[in-house]
Amino acid sequence: MNNMKLAHSSAIRAEVKRHESAKTTIKKIFKQLERVGDQELRSTLQLHLHSVQAACTNSQEWTLSRSVQELRLGVLGSLRSGKSALVHWYMTGSYLAVESPDGGRYKKEVLVEGQSQLLLIREEAGPPDAQFCSWVDGVILVFSLENENSFQEVYRNYSQLNTHRNIVEIPLIVVATQDKISSSNPRVIEDARARQLCSDLRRCTYYETCATYGLNVNRVFTEAAQKIAAIKRQASLQAACRSLPNTPSHSGDSTPVSGAFPGQASNGGQSSDYSSSLPSTPVGSRKDLRSMVPADGGGSAPPGTQGSTPRRRRFPHSSDAEKKSAESRGDVGSGRSIPVKQGILLKRSGNTLNKDWKKKLVTLSSKGILSYHSSINDYMQNIHGKEIDLLRVTVKVPGKRPPRAVPAGSPASGLNGVVSSPDGASAGPQFPSGLLTVEEGAGAERSFSSPGVQRCPSSLSNKGQSMDSASEGMSSPPSAKDTIPASPNLSDKKKKGERRKKSMNQKGDVAAGQAEDEENFDFIIVSSTGQTWTFEAQSLEARDSWVQAINSQILASLQSCESGKNKARKNSQSEAVALQAIRNAKGNGFCVDCDAPHPTWASLNLGALICIECSGIHRNLGTHLSRVRSLDLDDWPRELTCVLAAIGNHVANGVWEGCTQGRQKPIPESTREERESWIRAKYEQRAFVAPLPAPREAVGGAMPSRLLATVLERNLPLLLLLLAHSTKEEINAPLPSPQPHSALHAACQLADVVMTQLLVWYGSDVKARDSQGQTALTLARQAGSQECADILLQHGCPNEAPPAAATPGLSRKVSSASLSRSTSRRGFLHFSSDQ
Ligand SMILES: [Zn+2]
């Protein structure tokens, strides 16, 4: 039985993968077809391709054994219902503001009561026809809470379904989406009407979802799959009972099951909260099918009573449960989700002496994990893989020219909002996206002997292997046959990467020292404990595409993680007070970009509040320009609330909109395009930044001197203005000699959390040393500022003791294991409490 389960699961995963890859290829061909000049030929080809597309949807009929159960789920809703975004979030774990006019066909492996099953999702473009109605095992009816028409469409679709199919046979879930609700686009379907809908559509379950941050989305699909599976089990049992005493027969049942009833296998062993509302021991029962369908009000989501669903109650719960059930079967990898992105990369060995490069298959999953394997075989079998948990990591693009350098008016962004730096203009040959070079950080083992900051662990992996010991490499050298073959391009790039990194090259075929810096497309993943992994892409496009994909997974992980802790957090009064202080800061009643009232999102580094619509655009800018967080959903460490409360929209716009030259800013009703164009001009091109005042004579014009003087004056608005005008290189330029240290040192010495945080976000070098060889961390500890110290540690400042050893009189009470050296009593005492 176990073997069969395993075989099912891997067959399903292979099929899902095949389907996804076929779909991707077809999509690419459609795209290419647009370039066919001859219109007639083009439409003929498109027609053919549509039929290929349709055929590939049913590929599982040819690849899966009949004992693999298919769960067929239909999704209905108008174009404005948010159904495409709902399905997209479920499939990828990320939000895409899409409405697909053609619908879509998807496959996903789902676990229902420990069994792998194939969920077929059919997102229908129009109203349900007879074929659809006879095909489905269950239906999700979607409408948007801000769209009256989409609400009416639910009734129309329901009645269509009813004409073609006995509706009591199939589970129905009504989903109300909140994605598009905003102050300018308020909710129009009130609770009472939603309740009425649920009582009109008998026996449905009702959910409100928000695909922007995944609220309830998994829950909806999991529940649909469970309900469908339960009904199928009942149906097959009935069929079996009818045919007693014969052996169970497949005939007369549209869904063949294997000889052993799936239901029996899990008798009594279920633990999902949903199943508790179902008859869980159906064996031998001859109850009528209808009585087995969960009645209204059963289960954890009684319809009609959940008009304003408590947002945070279910979502984390269900995703946790899902994750757990996946992890409990981690040995077969049945919980593995469809890769968001996958490609063959070179990975640099973590061994500090032997930095050779190995090709890896790198996979970004929708569960917030970046994993890599030595071979496709290993990936398929899910062995010898290593994983980076994207929770509590950030992605950086080293040496990337700050966006100010983007010439105003240049097409600064790509399709998906990927920032293209001017270097991109000469980005060289196009390599297939997904070709990257990976370097596993040496920084980690060098400076972080004991991670002082205990955050969410940054390393998870199969079989207890840990990323921490970077040198262990892959557990076994892959055999030649399944090793990923080298591509010439890859090795070329590799050499360049190695030259720049001045590393040892085993193959010895590298002419060291040649300057080809411009041709590297690196990005680095840094964990909160300082561990780093460096990647090198083959092209700017490939890099930006990876960075963006990873960033969106980081965001999704943060949100799903932190919303789980949210309830407890929200109870903490101090956080509530801090958030209130943010809301009260001058100008914070309205979105900093479009003036929509009551913004609920924040851009941390800009110190500003933004509405949900603008937040989507900010997120696309990338974290180097704007770090977006939700006031409602996220967890708020004190250093972050400090920054936001200290700046606020009024001050922020004093800097960023100091010089708009008459250009009109967006209003709450503006389109996304209008907002985006404004926001990009404002932060990416820095087109409206107030001019720099002339430097004071005593200070001089050099940016590091000006920053230092400004920090010493504690002039926050001016600091923001200077930062808005400077590049990372300017910030980190060497100081003219009489000055002892950098602005960051000064901010830490003053224990100024806000300035420290801002300087770090804008690229101030956390590892820089002052004239006495001290890092800013040393000064932060001397000043007794745990928060400043935390900021520095989180951003990769080496956690080391200063060269001047401990001052006398400190050693008592010191647990030598936890903290060995410190420079001042104050710094030590404060710090030790946290070690
Ligand atoms: Zn806005």
Side-chain angles (χ1 to χ4, degrees), residues 789-808:
D790 281 350
I791 292 166
L792 296 168
L793 288 168
Q794 282 164 33
H795 288 83
C797 184
N799 187 7
E800 63 184 16
T807 37

Short mmCIF file of all heavy atoms in Angstrom, two decimals, residues 789-808:
data_model
loop_
_atom_site.label_atom_id
_atom_site.label_comp_id
_atom_site.label_asym_id
_atom_site.label_seq_id
_atom_site.Cartn_x
_atom_site.Cartn_y
_atom_site.Cartn_z
N ALA A 789 22.61 47.80 17.64
CA ALA A 789 23.44 46.61 17.47
C ALA A 789 22.70 45.56 16.65
O ALA A 789 23.27 44.94 15.74
CB ALA A 789 23.84 46.05 18.84
N ASP A 790 21.43 45.37 16.96
CA ASP A 790 20.63 44.39 16.21
C ASP A 790 20.58 44.73 14.72
O ASP A 790 20.70 43.86 13.86
CB ASP A 790 19.19 44.35 16.74
CG ASP A 790 19.08 43.52 18.01
OD1 ASP A 790 20.07 42.84 18.36
OD2 ASP A 790 18.02 43.57 18.65
N ILE A 791 20.38 45.99 14.46
CA ILE A 791 20.30 46.41 13.06
C ILE A 791 21.59 46.05 12.33
O ILE A 791 21.59 45.49 11.24
CB ILE A 791 20.05 47.93 12.96
CG1 ILE A 791 18.65 48.27 13.49
CG2 ILE A 791 20.22 48.42 11.53
CD1 ILE A 791 18.45 49.77 13.74
N LEU A 792 22.70 46.36 12.96
CA LEU A 792 23.99 46.10 12.32
C LEU A 792 24.21 44.61 12.13
O LEU A 792 24.66 44.16 11.08
CB LEU A 792 25.12 46.69 13.17
CG LEU A 792 25.09 48.22 13.29
CD1 LEU A 792 26.04 48.69 14.38
CD2 LEU A 792 25.44 48.87 11.96
N LEU A 793 23.88 43.85 13.16
CA LEU A 793 24.07 42.40 13.05
C LEU A 793 23.19 41.81 11.96
O LEU A 793 23.62 40.97 11.18
CB LEU A 793 23.75 41.73 14.40
CG LEU A 793 24.79 41.97 15.49
CD1 LEU A 793 24.26 41.54 16.85
CD2 LEU A 793 26.08 41.23 15.16
N GLN A 794 21.97 42.30 11.90
CA GLN A 794 21.07 41.77 10.88
C GLN A 794 21.55 42.09 9.48
O GLN A 794 21.18 41.42 8.52
CB GLN A 794 19.67 42.37 11.03
CG GLN A 794 18.86 41.75 12.14
CD GLN A 794 17.67 42.61 12.50
OE1 GLN A 794 17.11 43.29 11.63
NE2 GLN A 794 17.30 42.61 13.77
N HIS A 795 22.32 43.12 9.36
CA HIS A 795 22.77 43.50 8.03
C HIS A 795 24.22 43.11 7.78
O HIS A 795 24.90 43.69 6.94
CB HIS A 795 22.53 44.99 7.78
CG HIS A 795 21.07 45.28 7.61
ND1 HIS A 795 20.24 45.47 8.69
CD2 HIS A 795 20.29 45.36 6.51
CE1 HIS A 795 19.01 45.68 8.25
NE2 HIS A 795 19.01 45.61 6.94
N GLY A 796 24.69 42.15 8.54
CA GLY A 796 25.95 41.54 8.19
C GLY A 796 27.18 42.13 8.83
O GLY A 796 28.30 41.84 8.42
N CYS A 797 26.99 42.95 9.85
CA CYS A 797 28.17 43.45 10.55
C CYS A 797 28.79 42.31 11.33
O CYS A 797 28.08 41.58 12.02
CB CYS A 797 27.76 44.57 11.50
SG CYS A 797 29.16 45.33 12.32
N PRO A 798 30.10 42.12 11.22
CA PRO A 798 30.71 41.01 11.96
C PRO A 798 30.51 41.18 13.46
O PRO A 798 30.72 42.26 14.01
CB PRO A 798 32.20 41.12 11.60
CG PRO A 798 32.35 42.27 10.69
CD PRO A 798 31.04 42.90 10.44
N ASN A 799 30.10 40.11 14.08
CA ASN A 799 29.83 40.15 15.52
C ASN A 799 31.13 39.86 16.26
O ASN A 799 31.34 38.78 16.78
CB ASN A 799 28.78 39.10 15.85
CG ASN A 799 28.34 39.20 17.28
OD1 ASN A 799 28.71 40.13 17.99
ND2 ASN A 799 27.53 38.24 17.70
N GLU A 800 31.96 40.82 16.28
CA GLU A 800 33.27 40.57 16.86
C GLU A 800 33.54 41.56 17.99
O GLU A 800 32.89 42.59 18.09
CB GLU A 800 34.34 40.75 15.78
CG GLU A 800 34.38 42.18 15.28
CD GLU A 800 35.37 42.35 14.13
OE1 GLU A 800 35.79 41.33 13.56
OE2 GLU A 800 35.70 43.49 13.85
N ALA A 801 34.49 41.18 18.80
CA ALA A 801 34.88 42.09 19.87
C ALA A 801 35.85 43.12 19.29
O ALA A 801 36.53 42.86 18.31
CB ALA A 801 35.56 41.30 20.97
N PRO A 802 35.89 44.27 19.87
CA PRO A 802 36.83 45.29 19.41
C PRO A 802 38.25 44.87 19.73
O PRO A 802 38.46 44.06 20.61
CB PRO A 802 36.44 46.51 20.23
CG PRO A 802 35.78 45.96 21.44
CD PRO A 802 35.12 44.69 21.02
N PRO A 803 39.21 45.43 19.00
CA PRO A 803 40.61 45.07 19.23
C PRO A 803 41.04 45.36 20.67
O PRO A 803 41.75 44.59 21.28
CB PRO A 803 41.39 45.95 18.25
CG PRO A 803 40.39 46.66 17.42
CD PRO A 803 39.04 46.41 17.94
N ALA A 804 40.56 46.47 21.20
CA ALA A 804 40.86 46.76 22.59
C ALA A 804 40.02 45.82 23.43
O ALA A 804 38.81 45.86 23.37
CB ALA A 804 40.51 48.20 22.91
N ALA A 805 40.69 44.98 24.20
CA ALA A 805 39.97 43.93 24.91
C ALA A 805 39.14 44.50 26.04
O ALA A 805 39.08 45.70 26.27
CB ALA A 805 40.96 42.89 25.43
N ALA A 806 38.53 43.58 26.73
CA ALA A 806 37.56 43.97 27.75
C ALA A 806 38.16 44.93 28.77
O ALA A 806 39.31 44.82 29.15
CB ALA A 806 37.07 42.72 28.46
N THR A 807 37.36 45.85 29.17
CA THR A 807 37.78 46.73 30.23
C THR A 807 37.71 45.97 31.55
O THR A 807 36.89 45.09 31.70
CB THR A 807 36.89 47.97 30.31
OG1 THR A 807 35.56 47.57 30.04
CG2 THR A 807 37.33 49.03 29.33
N PRO A 808 38.57 46.33 32.46
CA PRO A 808 38.58 45.61 33.74
C PRO A 808 37.25 45.81 34.46
O PRO A 808 36.56 46.79 34.24
CB PRO A 808 39.71 46.29 34.52
CG PRO A 808 40.39 47.21 33.57
CD PRO A 808 39.50 47.42 32.40
#
